[in-house]
Amino acid sequence: MIKQGARDDTAFLKAMQDVTPLTQKAAKVDTQTGSKDTPGLQHRREMLSSAEDALGRDDEYVELLEPLDELSFKRPGIQSGVFRNLRLGKYPYEARLEIFGMRVADARKEVSRFIRECLKLEIRTVAISFGRAKERGSHAAWLKSYVAKWLKENESVQGYHSALKHHGGLGAVYVILQKSERKRMETLERHQRRMSQ
C-alpha cells in the first residue's frame, strides 16, 4: 500500500521533470562609497550634522578653565541692560538642566536637546548646572569648559554668565536664548504702541 505522502512526491517529480533550474548569480555587494542618497536621507544627515556642529563635539580641543573662572559671554546685538539683568540673576530662569557627573558626550547631547526643547517652548532664560570644580583637572572643570565652548558656538544662545551663589555659583550658568519670531513681533508691536501714545 502506497502512503499518501509518497504519492504526492511522485506526482510532484513527474510534473517538474521538464523544468530547468535557474542559474544563480553570486550575490553582489555594492562597495561604492558614493552611493546615491535620497533627498530625505540627505536632509536628515545635514540636520544632524548642523545640530552637532551647533554644540561642538566632545573630541574637539577645549581650553581647560580654572575652577574659579567666571563664565561670561555676550553676543553682539544683545542690549547691555538685558545682559546686566541676566548677570545679576534678575531674570528668573524658566528651565534648568543638571549635567554634573555626566560623560562629556552625554552632556553635549543633553545640552543640545535641552536648548532645542526650550526654543520650541519659547523659553528664553535657562540655567545649566555642571557642578563646581575643586581642582583644575576635575571632571566638573572639563564639563564647565565644554559647556562654555558649546554655548558660545550655538547661534541660539545670546549670552551667558556664571550664576549667583544660591543658584550654583561658578558651578552653573544662566543662559539667555534668542526670542522666537512670535515674541519678537509682540515686543515690536508693544514698542510701536508706546511710541504712538
Side-chain angles (χ1 to χ4, degrees):
M1 183 176 177
I2 300 174
K3 292 182 180 176
Q4 180 67 35
R7 211 178 302 146
D8 289 345
D9 287 347
T10 307
F12 175 76
L13 291 172
K14 188 174 181 182
M16 300 302 289
Q17 70 186 12
D18 296 328
V19 175
T20 56
L22 294 172
T23 56
Q24 280 190 313
K25 294 182 180 178
K28 289 185 178 178
V29 176
D30 186 6
T31 56
Q32 286 185 316
T33 52
S35 61
K36 293 177 183 150
D37 288 343
T38 63
L41 179 61
Q42 191 173 7
H43 176 70
R44 285 192 297 277
R45 280 193 182 133
E46 287 168 6
M47 292 298 286
L48 178 62
S49 174
S50 65
E52 287 177 348
D53 289 343
L55 284 172
R57 291 183 178 81
D58 54 313
D59 60 351
E60 288 181 351
Y61 171 78
V62 66
E63 184 180 334
L64 187 59
L65 299 171
E66 296 292 335
L68 298 178
D69 283 350
E70 187 176 73
L71 298 184
S72 187
F73 169 74
K74 175 175 145 318
R75 202 168 294 286
I78 189 168
Q79 296 174 349
S80 297
V82 169
F83 187 72
R84 184 179 61 249
N85 287 339
L86 176 75
R87 181 173 53 82
L88 297 173
K90 291 191 175 181
Y91 295 127
Y93 56 84
E94 302 165 84
R96 182 179 180 96
L97 174 68
E98 296 185 354
I99 59 169
F100 47 85
M102 283 188 187
R103 290 182 14 218
V104 172
D106 295 334
R108 178 178 56 85
K109 288 176 190 163
E110 280 303 303
V111 171
S112 179
R113 181 199 57 76
F114 178 68
I115 290 175
R116 277 195 313 271
E117 283 297 308
C118 289
L119 289 169
K120 195 187 302 180
L121 296 171
E122 298 184 332
I123 292 173
R124 185 126 194 252
T125 310
V126 301
I128 299 175
S129 179
F130 37 79
R132 187 158 181 174
K134 291 190 170 48
E135 48 193 59
R136 189 171 197 271
S138 71
H139 185 67
W142 281 105
L143 280 179
K144 176 180 188 172
S145 304
Y146 273 110
V147 165
K149 179 183 190 308
W150 298 333
L151 293 176
K152 198 177 287 187
E153 291 174 350
N154 189 316
E155 293 296 320
S156 301
V157 173
Q158 298 301 292
Y160 60 80
H161 197 279
S162 291
L164 296 176
K165 192 171 184 177
H166 61 280
H167 288 148
L170 297 174
V173 65
Y174 300 131
V175 182
I176 191 160
L177 302 173
Q178 68 185 17
K179 279 185 183 178
S180 68
E181 191 58 38
R182 187 180 69 80
K183 294 271 190 184
R184 209 174 293 140
M185 291 305 291
E186 283 177 6
T187 304
L188 182 63
E189 287 170 11
R190 252 193 333 266
H191 180 69
Q192 287 173 344
R193 276 197 304 269
R194 246 184 284 147
M195 296 298 286
S196 63
Q197 290 176 352

